[in-house]
Short mmCIF file of all heavy atoms in Angstrom, two decimals:
data_model
loop_
_atom_site.label_atom_id
_atom_site.label_comp_id
_atom_site.label_asym_id
_atom_site.label_seq_id
_atom_site.Cartn_x
_atom_site.Cartn_y
_atom_site.Cartn_z
N HIS A 19 -9.79 10.93 -0.42
CA HIS A 19 -9.66 12.32 -0.68
C HIS A 19 -10.12 12.86 -2.05
O HIS A 19 -10.72 13.96 -2.15
CB HIS A 19 -8.17 12.80 -0.42
CG HIS A 19 -7.84 12.69 0.99
ND1 HIS A 19 -8.55 13.16 2.12
CD2 HIS A 19 -6.80 11.83 1.60
CE1 HIS A 19 -7.85 12.78 3.31
NE2 HIS A 19 -6.94 11.98 2.99
N SER A 20 -9.84 12.14 -3.00
CA SER A 20 -10.19 12.56 -4.34
C SER A 20 -11.67 12.51 -4.58
O SER A 20 -12.32 13.43 -5.03
CB SER A 20 -9.45 11.64 -5.42
OG SER A 20 -9.82 10.32 -5.34
N TYR A 21 -12.37 11.50 -3.95
CA TYR A 21 -13.82 11.37 -4.02
C TYR A 21 -14.46 12.53 -3.31
O TYR A 21 -15.35 13.24 -3.84
CB TYR A 21 -14.22 10.01 -3.42
CG TYR A 21 -15.82 9.79 -3.36
CD1 TYR A 21 -16.42 9.47 -4.34
CD2 TYR A 21 -16.29 9.98 -2.09
CE1 TYR A 21 -17.91 9.27 -4.33
CE2 TYR A 21 -17.65 9.77 -2.03
CZ TYR A 21 -18.43 9.50 -3.11
OH TYR A 21 -19.91 9.18 -2.89
N HIS A 22 -14.09 12.78 -2.12
CA HIS A 22 -14.82 13.81 -1.40
C HIS A 22 -14.31 15.21 -1.88
O HIS A 22 -15.10 16.24 -1.71
CB HIS A 22 -14.50 13.68 0.08
CG HIS A 22 -15.21 12.54 0.70
ND1 HIS A 22 -16.66 12.70 0.85
CD2 HIS A 22 -14.79 11.35 1.09
CE1 HIS A 22 -17.04 11.41 1.34
NE2 HIS A 22 -16.03 10.65 1.45
N GLY A 23 -13.19 15.24 -2.39
CA GLY A 23 -12.80 16.65 -3.08
C GLY A 23 -13.59 16.85 -4.31
O GLY A 23 -14.01 18.02 -4.40
N ALA A 24 -13.85 15.88 -5.06
CA ALA A 24 -14.74 16.09 -6.16
C ALA A 24 -16.12 16.52 -5.76
O ALA A 24 -16.86 17.42 -6.37
CB ALA A 24 -14.87 14.91 -7.04
N ILE A 25 -16.64 15.95 -4.69
CA ILE A 25 -18.07 16.33 -4.25
C ILE A 25 -17.96 17.77 -3.67
O ILE A 25 -18.81 18.66 -4.08
CB ILE A 25 -18.49 15.39 -2.95
CG1 ILE A 25 -18.70 13.97 -3.57
CG2 ILE A 25 -19.75 16.00 -2.34
CD1 ILE A 25 -19.02 12.97 -2.50
N ALA A 26 -16.97 18.16 -2.92
CA ALA A 26 -16.83 19.52 -2.45
C ALA A 26 -16.67 20.54 -3.54
O ALA A 26 -17.45 21.58 -3.52
CB ALA A 26 -15.65 19.67 -1.48
N ASP A 27 -15.92 20.18 -4.64
CA ASP A 27 -15.81 21.08 -5.73
C ASP A 27 -17.14 21.26 -6.40
O ASP A 27 -17.58 22.46 -6.80
CB ASP A 27 -14.77 20.51 -6.74
CG ASP A 27 -13.39 20.61 -6.21
OD1 ASP A 27 -13.08 21.35 -5.16
OD2 ASP A 27 -12.46 19.83 -6.83
N LEU A 28 -17.92 20.15 -6.66
CA LEU A 28 -19.20 20.26 -7.27
C LEU A 28 -20.11 21.17 -6.51
O LEU A 28 -20.77 22.07 -6.99
CB LEU A 28 -19.69 18.93 -7.54
CG LEU A 28 -21.20 18.86 -8.28
CD1 LEU A 28 -21.06 19.60 -9.66
CD2 LEU A 28 -21.65 17.40 -8.25
N LEU A 29 -20.26 20.91 -5.20
CA LEU A 29 -21.21 21.67 -4.32
C LEU A 29 -20.72 23.21 -4.20
O LEU A 29 -21.56 24.04 -4.15
CB LEU A 29 -21.22 21.05 -3.05
CG LEU A 29 -21.90 19.59 -2.94
CD1 LEU A 29 -21.84 19.06 -1.50
CD2 LEU A 29 -23.26 19.74 -3.47
N ASP A 30 -19.35 23.45 -4.28
CA ASP A 30 -18.85 24.79 -4.22
C ASP A 30 -19.38 25.50 -5.49
O ASP A 30 -19.80 26.60 -5.48
CB ASP A 30 -17.45 24.87 -4.12
CG ASP A 30 -16.85 24.44 -2.79
OD1 ASP A 30 -17.61 24.39 -1.81
OD2 ASP A 30 -15.68 24.15 -2.78
N ALA A 31 -19.26 24.82 -6.69
CA ALA A 31 -19.62 25.41 -7.93
C ALA A 31 -21.23 25.66 -7.87
O ALA A 31 -21.67 26.72 -8.38
CB ALA A 31 -19.32 24.50 -9.08
N ARG A 32 -21.94 24.74 -7.51
CA ARG A 32 -23.44 24.93 -7.31
C ARG A 32 -23.65 26.20 -6.40
O ARG A 32 -24.56 27.09 -6.68
CB ARG A 32 -24.04 23.78 -6.71
CG ARG A 32 -24.11 22.55 -7.72
CD ARG A 32 -24.90 22.67 -9.00
NE ARG A 32 -25.32 21.67 -9.66
CZ ARG A 32 -24.52 20.81 -10.40
NH1 ARG A 32 -23.20 20.84 -10.20
NH2 ARG A 32 -25.05 19.90 -11.13
N ALA A 33 -23.10 26.27 -5.22
CA ALA A 33 -23.24 27.36 -4.42
C ALA A 33 -22.99 28.71 -4.95
O ALA A 33 -23.63 29.74 -4.82
CB ALA A 33 -22.51 27.17 -3.01
N GLU A 34 -21.70 28.76 -5.73
CA GLU A 34 -21.39 29.93 -6.46
C GLU A 34 -22.33 30.33 -7.45
O GLU A 34 -22.44 31.56 -7.73
CB GLU A 34 -20.05 29.88 -6.97
CG GLU A 34 -18.90 29.78 -5.98
CD GLU A 34 -17.48 29.46 -6.61
OE1 GLU A 34 -17.27 29.58 -7.84
OE2 GLU A 34 -16.67 28.99 -5.90
N ALA A 35 -23.03 29.48 -8.04
CA ALA A 35 -24.12 29.79 -9.02
C ALA A 35 -25.45 30.02 -8.41
O ALA A 35 -26.48 30.23 -9.06
CB ALA A 35 -24.19 28.57 -9.98
N GLY A 36 -25.54 29.96 -7.01
CA GLY A 36 -26.84 30.26 -6.36
C GLY A 36 -27.70 29.03 -6.33
O GLY A 36 -28.92 29.25 -6.20
N ARG A 37 -27.30 27.80 -6.56
CA ARG A 37 -28.07 26.73 -6.57
C ARG A 37 -27.86 25.86 -5.29
O ARG A 37 -26.70 25.61 -4.98
CB ARG A 37 -27.75 25.80 -7.77
CG ARG A 37 -28.16 26.68 -9.14
CD ARG A 37 -27.62 25.92 -10.34
NE ARG A 37 -28.33 24.60 -10.39
CZ ARG A 37 -27.80 23.64 -11.38
NH1 ARG A 37 -26.75 23.83 -12.02
NH2 ARG A 37 -28.64 22.53 -11.37
N MET A 38 -28.90 25.40 -4.65
CA MET A 38 -28.87 24.66 -3.48
C MET A 38 -29.41 23.19 -3.85
O MET A 38 -30.59 22.99 -3.82
CB MET A 38 -29.74 25.31 -2.25
CG MET A 38 -29.09 26.62 -1.90
SD MET A 38 -27.56 26.49 -1.04
CE MET A 38 -28.02 25.66 0.56
N PRO A 39 -28.50 22.32 -4.13
CA PRO A 39 -29.02 20.97 -4.42
C PRO A 39 -29.42 20.13 -3.20
O PRO A 39 -29.15 20.48 -2.06
CB PRO A 39 -27.76 20.35 -4.95
CG PRO A 39 -26.60 21.00 -4.35
CD PRO A 39 -27.04 22.46 -4.04
N LEU A 40 -30.12 19.23 -3.54
CA LEU A 40 -30.42 18.00 -2.60
C LEU A 40 -29.23 17.08 -2.72
O LEU A 40 -29.06 16.49 -3.72
CB LEU A 40 -31.78 17.43 -2.97
CG LEU A 40 -32.11 16.10 -2.16
CD1 LEU A 40 -32.35 16.38 -0.69
CD2 LEU A 40 -33.28 15.49 -2.79
N LEU A 41 -28.67 16.79 -1.58
CA LEU A 41 -27.58 15.91 -1.49
C LEU A 41 -28.05 14.45 -1.27
O LEU A 41 -28.80 14.36 -0.23
CB LEU A 41 -26.45 16.27 -0.44
CG LEU A 41 -25.36 15.23 -0.20
CD1 LEU A 41 -24.39 15.30 -1.58
CD2 LEU A 41 -24.57 15.57 0.98
N VAL A 42 -27.83 13.55 -2.14
CA VAL A 42 -28.21 12.24 -1.96
C VAL A 42 -27.04 11.22 -1.82
O VAL A 42 -26.26 11.30 -2.63
CB VAL A 42 -29.15 11.72 -3.09
CG1 VAL A 42 -29.55 10.23 -2.95
CG2 VAL A 42 -30.39 12.70 -3.26
N ALA A 43 -26.96 10.60 -0.79
CA ALA A 43 -25.81 9.56 -0.48
C ALA A 43 -26.50 8.22 -0.45
O ALA A 43 -27.37 7.91 0.26
CB ALA A 43 -25.18 9.76 0.91
N LEU A 44 -25.87 7.43 -1.40
CA LEU A 44 -26.42 6.02 -1.57
C LEU A 44 -25.45 5.00 -1.16
O LEU A 44 -24.23 5.08 -1.44
CB LEU A 44 -26.69 5.75 -3.06
CG LEU A 44 -27.70 6.65 -3.72
CD1 LEU A 44 -27.69 6.41 -5.16
CD2 LEU A 44 -29.02 6.46 -3.07
N HIS A 45 -25.89 4.03 -0.45
CA HIS A 45 -25.03 2.99 0.22
C HIS A 45 -25.85 1.69 0.08
O HIS A 45 -26.97 1.63 -0.40
CB HIS A 45 -24.71 3.25 1.63
CG HIS A 45 -24.05 4.56 1.79
ND1 HIS A 45 -22.76 4.71 1.76
CD2 HIS A 45 -24.56 5.80 2.09
CE1 HIS A 45 -22.31 6.00 2.02
NE2 HIS A 45 -23.54 6.56 2.19
N SER A 46 -25.28 0.54 0.63
CA SER A 46 -25.92 -0.73 0.63
C SER A 46 -25.63 -1.37 1.97
O SER A 46 -24.66 -0.86 2.62
CB SER A 46 -25.41 -1.61 -0.51
OG SER A 46 -24.12 -1.97 -0.43
N PHE A 47 -26.33 -2.31 2.27
CA PHE A 47 -26.20 -3.09 3.66
C PHE A 47 -26.45 -4.49 3.33
O PHE A 47 -27.18 -4.93 2.41
CB PHE A 47 -27.10 -2.54 4.69
CG PHE A 47 -28.54 -2.71 4.48
CD1 PHE A 47 -29.17 -3.74 4.96
CD2 PHE A 47 -29.31 -1.79 3.85
CE1 PHE A 47 -30.58 -3.93 4.82
CE2 PHE A 47 -30.68 -1.83 3.66
CZ PHE A 47 -31.30 -2.96 4.15
N THR A 48 -25.73 -5.22 4.13
CA THR A 48 -25.92 -6.78 4.12
C THR A 48 -27.25 -7.26 4.64
O THR A 48 -27.87 -6.62 5.49
CB THR A 48 -24.72 -7.44 4.91
OG1 THR A 48 -24.81 -7.07 6.25
CG2 THR A 48 -23.33 -7.07 4.38
N PRO A 49 -27.71 -8.34 4.01
CA PRO A 49 -29.09 -8.76 4.46
C PRO A 49 -28.96 -9.43 5.86
O PRO A 49 -29.99 -9.67 6.48
CB PRO A 49 -29.38 -9.95 3.42
CG PRO A 49 -28.20 -10.11 2.56
CD PRO A 49 -27.28 -9.04 2.83
N THR A 50 -27.86 -9.86 6.33
CA THR A 50 -27.59 -10.35 7.67
C THR A 50 -26.58 -9.58 8.43
O THR A 50 -25.49 -9.43 7.87
CB THR A 50 -27.29 -11.75 7.69
OG1 THR A 50 -28.30 -12.59 7.00
CG2 THR A 50 -27.22 -12.42 9.06
N LEU A 51 -26.80 -9.16 9.58
CA LEU A 51 -25.74 -8.38 10.48
C LEU A 51 -24.64 -9.43 10.76
O LEU A 51 -24.99 -10.51 11.31
CB LEU A 51 -26.42 -7.83 11.60
CG LEU A 51 -25.41 -7.05 12.54
CD1 LEU A 51 -24.99 -5.73 11.79
CD2 LEU A 51 -26.23 -6.64 13.80
N VAL A 52 -23.32 -9.25 10.43
CA VAL A 52 -22.37 -10.04 10.65
C VAL A 52 -21.99 -10.21 12.21
O VAL A 52 -21.75 -11.27 12.67
CB VAL A 52 -21.08 -9.95 9.74
CG1 VAL A 52 -20.00 -10.72 9.96
CG2 VAL A 52 -21.57 -9.89 8.39
N SER A 53 -21.75 -9.04 12.74
CA SER A 53 -21.24 -8.95 14.08
C SER A 53 -22.23 -9.61 15.13
O SER A 53 -21.59 -10.20 16.24
CB SER A 53 -21.09 -7.52 14.48
OG SER A 53 -22.23 -6.70 14.46
N ALA A 54 -23.48 -9.64 14.92
CA ALA A 54 -24.40 -10.35 15.78
C ALA A 54 -25.49 -10.93 14.94
O ALA A 54 -26.48 -10.22 14.70
CB ALA A 54 -25.00 -9.33 16.85
N PRO A 55 -25.27 -12.09 14.41
CA PRO A 55 -26.19 -12.65 13.22
C PRO A 55 -27.64 -12.44 13.52
O PRO A 55 -28.21 -12.79 14.52
CB PRO A 55 -25.73 -14.03 13.24
CG PRO A 55 -24.45 -14.05 13.62
CD PRO A 55 -24.37 -13.02 14.80
N ALA A 56 -28.16 -11.57 12.66
CA ALA A 56 -29.59 -11.38 12.60
C ALA A 56 -30.04 -10.84 11.29
O ALA A 56 -29.34 -10.16 10.60
CB ALA A 56 -29.96 -10.24 13.70
N ASP A 57 -31.22 -11.36 10.85
CA ASP A 57 -31.71 -10.92 9.53
C ASP A 57 -32.12 -9.47 9.47
O ASP A 57 -32.62 -8.94 10.54
CB ASP A 57 -32.94 -11.92 9.17
CG ASP A 57 -32.37 -13.28 8.72
OD1 ASP A 57 -31.31 -13.51 8.50
OD2 ASP A 57 -33.37 -14.24 8.76
N ARG A 58 -31.99 -8.81 8.38
CA ARG A 58 -32.41 -7.40 8.17
C ARG A 58 -33.43 -7.46 7.18
O ARG A 58 -33.14 -7.60 6.00
CB ARG A 58 -31.28 -6.64 7.72
CG ARG A 58 -30.11 -6.48 8.77
CD ARG A 58 -28.86 -6.06 8.14
NE ARG A 58 -28.00 -5.34 9.14
CZ ARG A 58 -26.91 -4.70 8.87
NH1 ARG A 58 -26.38 -4.70 7.65
NH2 ARG A 58 -26.26 -4.15 9.77
N PRO A 59 -34.68 -7.36 7.53
CA PRO A 59 -35.87 -7.42 6.53
C PRO A 59 -35.96 -6.24 5.68
O PRO A 59 -36.53 -6.45 4.68
CB PRO A 59 -37.01 -7.72 7.51
CG PRO A 59 -36.68 -6.96 8.76
CD PRO A 59 -35.11 -7.19 8.89
N TRP A 60 -35.36 -5.14 5.99
CA TRP A 60 -35.66 -3.87 5.27
C TRP A 60 -34.99 -4.09 3.88
O TRP A 60 -33.96 -4.58 3.70
CB TRP A 60 -35.01 -2.73 5.94
CG TRP A 60 -35.35 -2.70 7.39
CD1 TRP A 60 -36.45 -2.34 7.99
CD2 TRP A 60 -34.36 -3.16 8.40
NE1 TRP A 60 -36.40 -2.54 9.34
CE2 TRP A 60 -35.16 -3.11 9.72
CE3 TRP A 60 -33.22 -3.81 8.55
CZ2 TRP A 60 -34.56 -3.38 10.86
CZ3 TRP A 60 -32.66 -4.06 9.71
CH2 TRP A 60 -33.38 -3.96 10.85
N GLU A 61 -35.82 -3.57 2.85
CA GLU A 61 -35.22 -3.61 1.51
C GLU A 61 -34.53 -2.40 1.18
O GLU A 61 -33.57 -2.35 0.46
CB GLU A 61 -36.38 -3.87 0.58
CG GLU A 61 -36.99 -5.32 0.82
CD GLU A 61 -38.34 -5.49 0.24
OE1 GLU A 61 -39.34 -4.88 0.73
OE2 GLU A 61 -38.58 -6.29 -0.70
N ILE A 62 -35.00 -1.25 1.78
CA ILE A 62 -34.42 0.09 1.67
C ILE A 62 -34.49 0.75 2.95
O ILE A 62 -35.47 0.59 3.78
CB ILE A 62 -35.16 0.90 0.54
CG1 ILE A 62 -34.51 2.28 0.33
CG2 ILE A 62 -36.54 0.96 0.84
CD1 ILE A 62 -35.03 3.02 -0.95
N GLY A 63 -33.41 1.41 3.39
CA GLY A 63 -33.43 2.12 4.64
C GLY A 63 -33.03 3.61 4.46
O GLY A 63 -32.22 3.93 3.80
N TYR A 64 -33.85 4.42 5.09
CA TYR A 64 -33.63 5.87 5.00
C TYR A 64 -32.95 6.17 6.27
O TYR A 64 -33.52 5.86 7.48
CB TYR A 64 -34.85 6.63 4.83
CG TYR A 64 -35.38 6.58 3.43
CD1 TYR A 64 -36.27 5.60 3.00
CD2 TYR A 64 -35.19 7.73 2.54
CE1 TYR A 64 -36.83 5.51 1.69
CE2 TYR A 64 -35.67 7.65 1.23
CZ TYR A 64 -36.35 6.49 0.92
OH TYR A 64 -36.99 6.47 -0.42
N LEU A 65 -31.76 7.00 6.32
CA LEU A 65 -31.08 7.26 7.50
C LEU A 65 -31.06 8.80 7.77
O LEU A 65 -30.88 9.48 6.80
CB LEU A 65 -29.68 6.74 7.42
CG LEU A 65 -29.61 5.13 7.02
CD1 LEU A 65 -28.08 4.84 6.78
CD2 LEU A 65 -30.25 4.35 7.94
#
């Protein structure tokens, strides 16, 4: 809640200032899928 509240507050402030940012969400993934073992060759994935 604190993390997503901070994001919402920042985006609200940008909107009030008339600025429309590009939202970028960064994550990571394991090199091998654990639930059904298989290698993941992608180095970066856009979702």
Side-chain angles (χ1 to χ4, degrees):
H19 295 303
S20 62
Y21 174 77
H22 288 288
I25 293 171
D27 291 347
L28 178 65
L29 293 174
D30 288 345
R32 292 293 198 296
E34 288 174 19
R37 298 173 62 194
M38 295 294 288
L40 168 67
L41 177 68
V42 178
L44 300 174
H45 302 273
S46 66
F47 64 92
T48 59
T50 302
L51 183 62
V52 177
S53 59
D57 288 341
R58 295 168 153 180
W60 314 282
E61 295 162 289
I62 183 173
Y64 287 83
L65 311 175

